[in-house]
């Protein structure tokens, strides 16, 4: 083996090799980290505004692929302890909406759902069920500030509905009077539009 002399006597390409190798390794690590971020799931901590920016302009699309499926027999609650088993809701169409206070598009459509509940009173029940992990602590102040006239602050303490639908928020599902799904919409929707009225009529049978 031939011993190398001081770095000052080495050709430039020899003494640059360790530096180039370190730079290449650093770039590789950074690229792998960025790739991992793209695949990362949303932060389960549900921080204020989480997912809000990326979903703020999302327009939901109608999905009929699960039409006919029964409403899940999950129990939701009001802050005062009142319980409601969704599986027992039959005889009237139900529009079930999953939302959260940290979800910007959810809060954008909540006033529209309140107006829809008032307009369709007697022929459609609108249930908005919060997916906030903090429950009433977050939901009640929001309802008090919003001043809804028809919506009630239903809670999903065990996140049963969130797990059942396994989808992002907001999620809205229409069930007919027999408790069978008609369609679902992932993302916010203009519930004041003529298109929305036609979709609701499908579940009511008019």
């Amino acid at each position: 083996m031939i011993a190398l002399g001081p770095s000052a006597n080495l050709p430039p390409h020899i003494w640059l090799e360790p530096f180039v190798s370190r730079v290449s390794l650093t770039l590789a690590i950074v690229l792998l980290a960025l790739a991992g971020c793209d695949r990362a799931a949303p932060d389960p901590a549900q921080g204020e505004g989480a997912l809000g920016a990326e979903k703020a302009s999302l327009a939901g699309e109608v999905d009929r692929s699960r039409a006919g499926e029964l409403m899940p027999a999950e129990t939701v609650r009001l802050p005062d302890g009142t319980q409601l088993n969704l599986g027992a809701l039959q005889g009237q169409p139900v529009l079930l909406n999953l939302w959260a206070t940290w979800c910007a598009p959810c809060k954008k459509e909540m006033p529209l759902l309140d107006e829809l509940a008032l307009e369709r009173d007697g022929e459609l029940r609108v249930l908005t069920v919060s997916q906030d992990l903090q429950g009433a602590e977050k939901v009640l102040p929001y309802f008090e500030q919003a001043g809804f006239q028809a919506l009630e602050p239903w809670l999903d303490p065990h996140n049963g509905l969130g797990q059942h639908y396994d989808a992002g928020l907001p999620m809205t599902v229409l069930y007919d009077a027999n408790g069978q799904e008609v369609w679902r919409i992932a993302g916010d929707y203009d519930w004041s539009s003529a298109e929305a009225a036609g979709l609701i009529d499908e579940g009511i049978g008019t």
Side-chain angles (χ1 to χ4, degrees):
M1 179 182 296
I2 300 176
L4 296 177
S7 58
N9 298 326
L10 293 177
H13 71 278
I14 297 293
W15 61 265
L16 280 174
E17 285 180 0
F19 172 76
V20 173
S21 298
R22 286 195 298 272
V23 172
S24 299
L25 179 60
T26 301
L27 286 175
I29 292 173
V30 170
L31 290 175
L32 287 173
L34 290 175
C37 289
D38 290 340
R39 296 190 296 270
D43 184 356
Q46 294 190 325
E48 183 68 26
L51 298 183
E54 67 183 65
K55 284 181 171 288
S57 61
L58 176 63
E61 295 185 1
V62 180
D63 178 3
R64 305 176 190 277
S65 64
R66 297 174 179 82
E69 291 186 5
L70 291 175
M71 184 182 298
E74 294 288 341
T75 298
V76 296
R77 295 174 173 81
L78 288 175
D80 65 5
T82 302
Q83 298 186 12
L84 176 66
N85 188 306
L86 301 183
L89 289 177
Q90 294 188 6
Q92 184 182 47
V94 174
L95 188 70
L96 178 64
N97 173 268
L98 272 59
W99 71 286
T101 59
W102 46 262
C103 168
C106 297
K107 293 196 291 186
K108 183 173 69 174
E109 68 176 1
M110 286 288 280
L112 298 178
L113 288 169
D114 188 50
E115 294 176 5
L116 177 64
L118 288 172
E119 294 172 1
R120 298 283 187 155
D121 184 34
E123 59 179 0
L124 174 72
R125 182 165 187 177
V126 179
L127 286 176
T128 53
V129 184
S130 166
Q131 298 299 295
D132 286 275
L133 295 181
Q134 299 92 337
E137 176 185 343
K138 290 288 187 180
V139 176
L140 281 181
Y142 171 71
F143 262 69
E144 291 172 1
Q145 181 181 18
F148 297 129
Q149 300 182 59
L151 299 183
E152 296 178 292
W154 291 101
L155 310 173
D156 183 15
H158 305 295
N159 196 227
L161 290 174
Q163 295 178 33
H164 175 82
Y165 293 108
D166 190 26
L169 299 180
M171 164 66 74
T172 307
V173 188
L174 177 66
Y175 292 94
D176 62 20
N178 296 317
Q180 294 183 317
E181 181 171 331
V182 180
W183 47 254
R184 65 178 60 187
I185 296 177
D188 65 295
Y189 199 77
D190 182 2
W191 298 106
S192 64
S193 66
E195 291 78 7
L199 289 172
I200 297 297
D201 287 340
E202 292 182 26
I204 295 176
T206 59

